[in-house]
Amino acid sequence: MTDSPMPCVITDLTVAYHDRIVLEHANVNLPEGEVMAILGPNGAGKSTLIKSALGLVPPLGGKTEFFGKPLDQVRNRVGYMPQSAEVDWDFPTTVADVVNMGTYGKLGWLRRAGAKQRQLVAEAMEIVGITDLADRQISQLSGGQKQRTFMARILAQNPDLYIMDEPFAGVDAASEKAIVRALEKLREDGKTILIVHHDLSTVKEFCTWVTLLNAGKVVATGPLETAFTPHLVHRAYGFDDADLMTGEGSK
C-alpha cells in the first residue's frame, strides 16, 4: 500500500428520487487493491450509491472523489459495468465491437485501435470465454453471455478501479464461474473493485471489504472481519444469523 489517495472516497452522499430520500449521508472509503461488495436488501440503495458516485444520478448533497480528484479528471482510470437491463441489446453490433469499446477512452476519438488494443480485446474475451462469440450480434446472446461480454469490455478498458453493478444477475453456472475467474485475476493483479452483489454466501470467495446498506443508510463498511459479521448482516437484512452461513437470506 502507498500514501496515494484512495481509489474511491464517498462523503456524505445523499440522493432523492422525486421527494423520497433513497440514500442518506452515505460515507464509504475504498482502499487500493481491495474488492468491496455493496450489499443490502432490495431497495436499500446499492445501485443508487454507485450511480450517484459516478454522476449518473445527481446527488442532493455530498461528493465523491476518485484517486483524490473529481471523476472528470480521472475518467480513464475508472471503469463501469452497468446492469444488463440498462443496455440496449437490440443495437446492431457484435460482441467484439462491444468489447472493443472498452479501449475507446484511452484511444481518443481520432485514433484507430492498434496492436496493443486488439490484444487487450482478445485477452479479455479469452478470460471470460467468449472468443467464439466475437462475430455474434449482441441481440442473439443469452443472459450469461451478455454479462460476460460487458465483463470483457471493462477488462479491455483496463482501468485502475472497476465498478460493477450486479454482474452475476441472471447468469448461468458457466458464466458465473467465468466472471468469478475474471474477478480473481483482477484481485491478483492488485486492481481495486467495487461490486454491487446479492449473494451473501459467495461474498467471502472474492471480496475483502463490504458495505452493508439498509433503507438508504450505511449499516457498516470496512474489512470483512469487522463489517461482515452475523450481527451486522442481521441489522441490514433482518434475518437470522444462521441464514448467513447457508445463503438463504440472500434470496
Side-chain angles (χ1 to χ4, degrees), residues 153-175:
R153 185 182 74 161
I154 197 173
L155 291 175
Q157 182 180 343
N158 193 30
D160 296 311
L161 171 62
Y162 293 71
I163 300 179
M164 307 177 186
D165 196 352
E166 295 274 15
F168 294 101
V171 304
D172 55 277
S175 294

Side-chain angles (χ1 to χ4, degrees), residues 27-46:
N27 293 283
V28 178
N29 294 338
L30 177 57
E32 182 180 355
E34 305 293 349
V35 182
M36 176 182 282
I38 305 295
L39 305 167
N42 291 338
K46 301 185 296 294

